[in-house]
Amino acid sequence: DTEVTQTPKHLVMGMTNKKSLKCEQHMGHRAMYWYKQKAKKPPELMFVYSYEKLSINESVPSRFSPECPNSSLLNLHLHALQPEDSALYLCASSQVRGGADTQYFGPGTRLTVL
Amino acid sequence: ILNVEQSPQSLHVQEGDSTNFTCSFPSSNFYALHWYRWETAKSPEALFVMTLNGDEKKKGRISATLNTKEGYSYLYIKGSQPEDSATYLCAPIGAGGTSYGKLTFGQGTILTVHP
């Protein structure tokens, strides 16, 4: 089973709200990723966790706060977002953080910030 | 920052046609190239991971080649079917350091196969 699940599928939030996106995999993968995809653009990497430790932060604003509580779960906590943060947020996982390891993607959470 | 270019941006073909598109990437510091297919409202689906110069991979009617010396990869679809309609993305990964494990996607090629 190569499934990565993400919840919720859709999220609408105001600029003062706090919300969280959740990603889960049960493939025993030890690397997990958050990507952001704006309309008509390719996905862009935000964060990489390797063995539950943050190993890449692509200079993402602090209003996005990732968390990896265990090897199967990855959260993205959102606070005081801006309308320009509206996008599709994709989670992915791979066996390890490596160049030739396939990253398996979830279907994404469509976020709208009002 | 990796400069990844895919061409064409979009392609319309008839069912049964064979087609191909290109991914260009910097040849220096290369480690691997990933190809993905992304259908609307679905998860991006991994097609191939290629690492060696001259590598050729095949999955059903889809195949890919890799030239790391000149920095390009071709994706071929033989006998296109309507279900092949999707955006095809390539993503090289650099060797070592902070770029290790980091996919940098091209803009993609949008393929539409008409019945």
Side-chain angles (χ1 to χ4, degrees):
Chain A
D1 182 14
T2 56
E3 191 179 23
V4 175
T5 59
Q6 290 188 244
T7 54
K9 282 189 167 45
H10 300 273
L11 179 63
V12 179
M13 61 186 289
M15 289 191 283
T16 57
N17 291 157
K18 283 186 185 181
K19 296 284 185 185
S20 297
L21 309 185
K22 181 179 167 182
C23 172
E24 207 159 357
Q25 57 87 13
H26 296 287
M27 295 178 275
H29 289 174
R30 304 311 300 270
M32 295 186 79
Y33 310 78
W34 281 115
Y35 289 84
K36 175 180 178 178
Q37 194 246 344
K38 300 278 280 183
K40 300 191 189 303
K41 298 278 188 184
E44 290 185 353
L45 182 68
M46 299 174 73
F47 302 105
V48 181
Y49 272 83
S50 178
Y51 290 88
E52 295 100 72
K53 286 188 171 32
L54 184 65
S55 55
I56 297 180
N57 176 343
E58 289 288 286
S59 303
V60 179
S62 59
R63 57 186 185 268
F64 295 91
S65 175
E67 179 198 19
C68 190
N70 60 59
S71 59
S72 301
L73 192 54
L74 184 66
N75 297 320
L76 186 63
H77 303 298
L78 315 172
H79 174 53
L81 294 194
Q82 304 295 310
E84 59 265 28
D85 297 321
S86 298
L88 180 70
Y89 288 84
L90 291 161
C91 173
S93 71
S94 63
Q95 195 73 33
V96 292
R97 176 192 160 195
D101 285 90
T102 297
Q103 292 185 24
Y104 296 91
F105 283 82
T109 293
R110 175 75 59 190
L111 174 68
T112 303
V113 182
L114 300 176
Chain B
I1 297 174
L2 288 178
N3 184 23
V4 185
E5 293 184 6
Q6 290 190 246
S7 61
Q9 283 188 357
S10 65
L11 200 51
H12 290 257
V13 302
Q14 290 298 126
E15 183 174 355
D17 287 351
S18 291
T19 186
N20 66 84
F21 16 97
T22 307
C23 171
S24 300
F25 52 87
S27 55
S28 60
N29 200 38
F30 173 85
Y31 187 86
L33 182 79
H34 296 242
W35 278 102
Y36 283 84
R37 173 170 61 198
W38 196 0
E39 293 178 66
T40 304
K42 293 190 177 180
S43 309
E45 175 198 353
L47 290 174
F48 306 113
V49 181
M50 310 176 79
T51 56
L52 299 174
N53 186 44
D55 221 357
E56 227 176 286
K57 298 243 173 164
K58 191 173 179 185
K59 185 177 182 176
R61 293 179 291 98
I62 305 177
S63 60
T65 60
L66 179 67
N67 183 320
T68 60
K69 293 187 193 305
E70 294 178 45
Y72 64 83
S73 175
Y74 294 139
L75 190 80
Y76 301 92
I77 303 179
K78 186 177 174 183
S80 303
Q81 299 296 310
E83 58 264 30
D84 295 328
S85 297
T87 299
Y88 291 82
L89 294 161
C90 70
I93 285 188
T98 57
S99 52
Y100 198 55
K102 176 183 171 181
L103 291 176
T104 301
F105 287 95
Q107 294 284 340
T109 293
I110 303 170
L111 174 67
T112 306
V113 182
H114 300 279

